[in-house]
Amino acid sequence: MNEEDKKKYSENKKRYFEKAENIKTQDIDFTTISSESVNPLYAPDDIHDLDYNADLGFPGEYPYTRGVYPNMYRGRFWTMRQFAGFGSAGDTNGRYHYLLDHGQTGLSVAFDMPTIMGYDSDHERSLGEVGKCGVAIDSLRDMEILFDEIDLSKITTSMTINAPASILLSFYLAAGEKKGIGFHEMGGTIQNDILKEYIAQKSWIFPPEPSMRIITDVLEFCTRNVPKWNTISISGYHIREAGSTAAQELAFTLADGFAYVEAGIKAGLDVDDFAPRLSFFFNAHLDFFEEIAKYRAARIIWAKRMKEKYGAKKNKSLLLRFHTQTAGCSLTAQQPENNIVRTAFQGLSAVLGGTQSLHTNSMDETLALPSEKAVRIALRTQQIIAHETGVVNTIDPLAGSYFIEAKTREMKEKAEDYFQKIDRFGGVIKAIEKGFFQKEISKAAYEYQKLVESRKKIIVGLNKFAMENEEIDIPILKINPEVEKNQREAIAGVREERDNDKVKRELERLRKAAENTDNLVPVILDCARCYCTEGEIISELKEIFGEYQEPIFL
Amino acid sequence: MDKKIRVLIAKPGLDGHDRGAKVVANALKDAGMEVIYTGLHQTPGMIAESAVQEDVDVIGLSILSGAHMTMFPKVLELLKEKGADDIMVFGGGIIPAEDMEKLEAEGVAKIFGPGTNTHDIIDFLKAEFGEKKK
């Protein structure tokens, strides 16, 4: 702007704000869903010091604010990956074929609680839980059934599994191997993010130290043997679902990411060998622009730290690639069809934020696991975003928006403040032990609940526009009540058929490896190949590593 | 003066979703009740034991993993075995309407689904215990 334009701009702005201030404003809450205040208007001077080259750059170029690939969705769309699993491996295999037949482009496995917690289906702690909130997988046998008639060299699979990630990965690799597919041909993701388990999702088995060892063993093994595998999916999703704000989700997730990088370096790995296979997983909540700013801020923070602090040299080490899932906690059991609309807006924010992969929630998820109809609509929602809205035509279309750029910077600054706080605790694990994250999250969750109950925050159909005596008339998925019994019988069959002498020898080898510092993954893989069950492998490891005791914070 | 209502908030089974349990625990505390939170991954046996030991009036169970049809009846059964079936049991979580009805028929005092206002839980407990605690 020349002097005359600047003068004109200042005058116009002054006049505008004087006028705007005197106009009646509605008495409603104008903060974001995270209770952050936003201005009624953003203008050029809100981003006057934005440096295009340093703060934005071009897509696929440092610092990757505008996206990790040069051509983004013109190259290919995000992977449409619906998280699915229920009942037996056979039931879930049927759902996978259904989703693939309807145009899904990647698979994502939801395991049941016993599988997540390392118990076989016939363990007493599994009673009532088998196949309920995901699929029951006890051994390689179940994994073979789960991927029956699916070409594991053509599709990528994400597995939401953490404490026992090394075991389920081994089952998967062994299942592929039996189909004649080499490890180097298989691509996918294991969540393998134990830090956020202690922080938010609470599905842990071992204490932090051995857990971090298993994770670095996986990093090392996959770097050498399964080069297309994403070894950790560093997850903010569960942090947000547990009640955090957007800034907390961003900060805690990236802090976890840096902790894994430091653990890998400490284990003697070269950062450029493992960092390219780290990926991220964020939530897409309802506050549209706050979410988009969050994704953009995440990319720039990661790229800068990886380069400047951890000395990464390869460009691929700097890329924050991420999967997104729409916010389950934003959905209502009341008027559940409205959830389709919420999910569509959330999915759109993820796409405008440059996601690599997306799960859109089904409308019925506050009631049960998704029915076929509900999941089909959820998948169609993504397909409509991709094929009908036109948002894929232009890369990072919101860049340069005064609001989006100001908000991106603000998210980044808030995250940096949290990093300093975490550093003062002595790092992520120390902060977990002190309950820092847990308390921050439950405080935010409770504050939000109070805002909803006092109707400062509106949820349509719940605390406004509610319907009296509402009848829910959408189909609900029912889990086969026989699944637990069938699974117990199946596991007994596996134990009878396999070579039990070999099983004993391999489990003995595993115990020795755990006592020493050998990489555990090749040994677990051998256990998988001879049909050791997940519970047997975990039991051996528990004896050496012990179990995590939760510090209780309200 | 009224004696405070003593509540045990518990997470049965393997489910780790504790947002709801903690929100409810905090809300009941703020409403003047005495609240004990068990932490995660409790067996029905551990919950019944804690309830008796802590001499609570009521247990609130939170389950989002789908295991409610096993966990709720088991807690009721164990309380009965211990001669502690005067302890009321209520709950919440991802529980389909059909199952809510069944559980309420089996002796669970009330199931609160997603979207419940915590004041409804507070009012419910105060109504249940208001008279008795004088």
Side-chain angles (χ1 to χ4, degrees), chain A residues 29-229:
Chain A
D29 175 272
F30 286 106
T31 64
T32 70
I33 205 161
S34 305
S35 292
E36 297 288 352
S37 59
V38 281
N39 301 339
L41 186 84
Y42 288 78
D45 47 343
D46 288 304
I47 56 166
H48 70 276
D49 58 347
L50 187 80
D51 177 337
Y52 188 83
N53 294 316
D55 296 327
L56 289 155
F58 284 91
E61 288 178 20
Y62 189 78
Y64 303 100
T65 311
R66 305 202 60 187
V68 290
Y69 301 123
N71 56 354
M72 290 302 289
Y73 305 133
R74 286 197 171 217
R76 70 173 191 84
F77 295 139
W78 59 93
T79 304
M80 298 181 191
R81 196 188 289 285
Q82 296 296 95
F83 182 48
F86 62 91
S88 67
D91 296 334
T92 300
N93 176 264
R95 177 61 67 90
Y96 290 169
H97 282 285
Y98 177 84
L99 286 166
L100 292 169
D101 290 347
H102 282 83
Q104 168 163 287
T105 54
L107 293 173
S108 174
V109 187
F111 296 103
D112 68 357
M113 285 313 305
T115 307
I116 288 170
M117 294 300 291
Y119 295 109
D120 286 338
S121 296
D122 58 356
H123 192 281
E124 60 167 349
R125 293 241 42 188
S126 304
L127 205 66
E129 312 253 17
V130 176
K132 285 283 163 52
C133 69
V135 58
I137 301 292
D138 290 315
S139 73
L140 169 58
R141 179 64 43 82
D142 293 322
M143 199 63 107
E144 292 170 284
I145 299 166
L146 188 64
F147 293 101
D148 189 37
E149 301 286 318
I150 294 172
D151 187 346
L152 301 185
S153 69
K154 297 239 158 57
I155 194 114
T156 59
T157 303
S158 172
M159 291 188 275
T160 296
I161 193 76
N162 293 279
S166 57
I167 302 169
L168 276 300
L169 170 66
S170 295
F171 288 171
Y172 187 87
L173 293 175
E177 189 176 64
K178 289 195 78 176
K179 290 170 182 255
I181 300 164
F183 291 177
H184 60 283
E185 290 176 273
M186 281 185 265
T189 305
I190 38 173
Q191 203 161 71
N192 201 27
D193 172 10
I194 199 71
L195 293 173
K196 69 92 180 51
E197 294 297 333
Y198 302 128
I199 291 173
Q201 175 81 348
K202 320 284 172 79
S203 298
W204 49 65
I205 298 178
F206 312 116
E209 205 180 311
S211 294
M212 292 300 273
R213 175 215 166 157
I214 299 172
I215 289 170
T216 50
D217 282 357
V218 171
L219 285 181
E220 188 183 38
F221 179 84
C222 289
T223 301
R224 297 212 175 113
N225 304 288
V226 202
K228 290 200 281 186
W229 204 268

Side-chain angles (χ1 to χ4, degrees), chain A residues 113 117 125 127-129 132-133 201-202 241-243 329 334 366-367 446 449 453 462 478 550 552-554, chain B residues 13-14 16 18-19 22 26-27 29-30 38 40-43 65-67 70 94 98 114-115 117-119:
Chain A
M113 285 313 305
M117 294 300 291
R125 293 241 42 188
L127 205 66
E129 312 253 17
K132 285 283 163 52
C133 69
Q201 175 81 348
K202 320 284 172 79
E241 288 290 300
C329 64
Q334 297 71 22
T366 57
L367 305 167
Y446 189 38
Q449 179 70 22
E453 293 185 356
L462 181 71
K478 287 215 172 69
E550 175 198 14
I552 297 176
F553 302 101
L554 257 189
Chain B
L14 303 175
D18 59 2
R19 176 177 182 166
K22 287 184 170 183
N26 278 314
K29 224 182 226 177
D30 283 353
T38 60
L40 292 159
H41 309 151
Q42 303 285 301
T43 62
S65 72
T70 305
I94 303 289
E98 194 182 313
N117 188 312
T118 55
H119 290 102

Side-chain angles (χ1 to χ4, degrees), chain A residues 334-407:
Chain A
Q334 297 71 22
Q335 305 176 37
E337 296 90 338
N338 297 345
N339 294 331
I340 299 172
V341 183
R342 293 189 175 97
T343 298
F345 290 131
Q346 295 166 352
L348 185 61
S349 77
V351 169
L352 290 172
T355 195
Q356 275 59 61
S357 161
L358 180 62
H359 164 104
T360 32
N361 283 326
S362 299
M363 63 170 142
D364 53 359
E365 296 197 34
T366 57
L367 305 167
L369 294 190
S371 69
E372 258 186 15
K373 179 173 181 178
V375 76
R376 191 180 66 236
I377 294 170
L379 175 61
R380 293 287 180 258
T381 304
Q382 295 197 35
Q383 290 162 338
I384 290 168
I385 296 173
H387 296 281
E388 297 186 19
T389 65
V391 297
V392 298
N393 297 343
T394 300
I395 300 161
D396 191 26
L398 294 175
S401 145
Y402 308 123
F403 178 35
I404 278 291
E405 297 301 354
K407 194 77 190 152

Side-chain angles (χ1 to χ4, degrees), chain A residues 272-336:
Chain A
D272 281 317
D273 282 343
F274 69 86
R277 299 315 303 177
L278 300 177
S279 62
F280 286 80
F281 173 21
F282 289 111
N283 197 296
H285 214 297
L286 275 167
D287 202 290
F288 197 70
F289 296 109
E290 186 171 64
E291 294 299 273
I292 296 167
K294 178 184 77 184
Y295 308 126
R296 298 175 88 247
R299 279 193 292 269
I300 186 170
I301 297 170
W302 185 252
K304 289 208 160 172
R305 274 230 177 177
M306 290 304 286
K307 186 175 179 167
E308 289 165 12
K309 183 164 181 190
Y310 300 113
K313 306 252 178 330
K314 278 191 200 163
N315 285 340
K316 282 191 169 172
S317 304
L318 313 180
L319 305 184
L320 182 140
R321 297 171 298 123
F322 69 104
H323 171 71
T324 310
Q325 178 169 342
T326 57
C329 64
S330 73
L331 304 184
T332 59
Q334 297 71 22
Q335 305 176 37

